[in-house]
Amino acid sequence: DAGVIQSPRHEVTEMGQEVTLRCKPISGHDYLFWYRQTMMRGLELLIYFNNNVPIDDSGMPEDRFSAKMPNASFSTLKIQPSEPRDSAVYFCASSAGSKTGELFFGEGSRLTVL
Amino acid sequence: AQSVTQLDSHVSVSEGTPVLLRCNYSSSYSPSLFWYVQHPNKGLQLLLKYTSAATLVKGINGFEAEFKKSETSFHLTKPSAHMSDAAEYFCVVYSGGYNKLIFGAGTRLAVHP
């Protein structure tokens, strides 16, 4: 299996622009997670899905952030409009089942908002 | 309430010497515990996990960890460090429910020749 695939790996944009990050989970995994990693706050869970349905979005910072999972093999995280404080590495992860606690992470999307 | 504390933000060792990365946890339930490793510019990768079977858990790349309930600890060890072990290591506690998966702040391991 190719693992969790994220794109783009790097994104540099200007404040106010829309940013879309993409994720393809491991085939057969029914949980998908979006995390944000910064030096100041470490790893934060933004939102997670089970069978394409959002289960907990309490970590989404504000209305500028939205996430969708239209099917089992694709998810997006969108920031509109972007701000410099959104600069971070965004990770997508997937998991099989609710009882394992074991996540498989993608390599991340490094976002820089100027 | 759950929490996890990694006692050292940075650890530096010489190649060939033992590694000890310390983790204490707090959980109201019998937790599952994990160690993940993150190499530079990479995602996190599972090193090992404890799920209430044997208290000494062996993982990849020669790492192991011992669950000590009396000390609420889950320290990560390796007998002999390799240059390729230089990375950031995260201790994680899980008590059911992915919104309760708690990551520690991380320990950055440096390995010197």
Side-chain angles (χ1 to χ4, degrees):
Chain A
D1 199 312
V4 176
I5 299 172
Q6 291 186 246
S7 64
R9 290 295 314 279
H10 301 274
E11 174 92 7
V12 180
T13 191
E14 293 191 346
M15 182 174 63
Q17 297 298 305
E18 178 178 295
V19 173
T20 299
L21 308 179
R22 298 173 177 81
C23 175
K24 176 179 168 56
I26 293 173
S27 176
H29 282 188
D30 54 347
Y31 283 80
L32 183 139
F33 308 81
W34 284 101
Y35 282 87
R36 179 171 67 177
Q37 186 178 40
T38 61
M39 290 290 290
M40 292 297 295
R41 291 189 296 270
L43 204 60
E44 303 172 277
L45 176 64
L46 300 178
I47 184 171
Y48 78 95
F49 296 82
N50 176 219
N51 291 323
N52 313 336
V53 176
I55 302 301
D56 185 348
D57 65 354
S58 60
M60 296 286 262
E62 49 198 272
D63 292 345
R64 297 185 297 106
F65 285 69
S66 63
K68 294 182 179 179
M69 192 165 185
N71 58 61
S73 59
F74 184 66
S75 177
T76 60
L77 178 67
K78 186 173 293 187
I79 308 171
Q80 166 62 20
S82 58
E83 296 182 2
R85 61 193 167 121
D86 301 330
S87 297
V89 182
Y90 291 82
F91 287 102
C92 177
S94 68
S95 180
S98 64
K99 300 187 186 302
T100 69
E102 180 177 343
L103 304 185
F104 293 81
F105 283 79
E107 296 203 326
S109 294
R110 181 176 295 276
L111 173 64
T112 302
V113 184
L114 303 174
Chain B
Q2 297 183 105
S3 67
V4 60
T5 303
Q6 294 186 240
L7 299 170
D8 307 290
S9 59
H10 292 84
V11 170
S12 181
V13 300
S14 298
E15 190 175 21
T17 64
V19 175
L20 170 64
L21 305 183
R22 299 181 295 166
C23 173
N24 286 353
Y25 71 92
S26 172
S27 177
S28 303
Y29 307 96
S30 296
S32 295
L33 294 159
F34 305 81
W35 277 98
Y36 282 81
V37 60
Q38 183 179 26
H39 288 95
N41 300 313
K42 298 291 186 183
L44 282 72
Q45 178 187 13
L46 182 68
L47 261 185
L48 51 80
K49 61 181 178 181
Y50 165 78
T51 55
S52 77
T55 56
L56 182 63
V57 182
K58 295 188 184 299
I60 61 172
N61 300 332
F63 284 93
E64 62 182 36
E66 186 171 8
F67 174 72
K68 292 187 177 180
K69 187 175 181 179
S70 61
E71 299 177 10
T72 61
S73 69
F74 190 57
H75 301 335
L76 182 69
T77 60
K78 182 174 180 178
S80 176
H82 191 272
M83 295 296 289
S84 60
D85 295 328
E88 187 143 21
Y89 292 79
F90 294 90
C91 183
V92 182
V93 62
Y94 172 74
S95 294
Y98 281 109
N99 52 356
K100 299 184 180 67
L101 189 68
I102 307 297
F103 284 79
T107 298
R108 186 168 296 276
L109 175 65
V111 182
H112 302 288

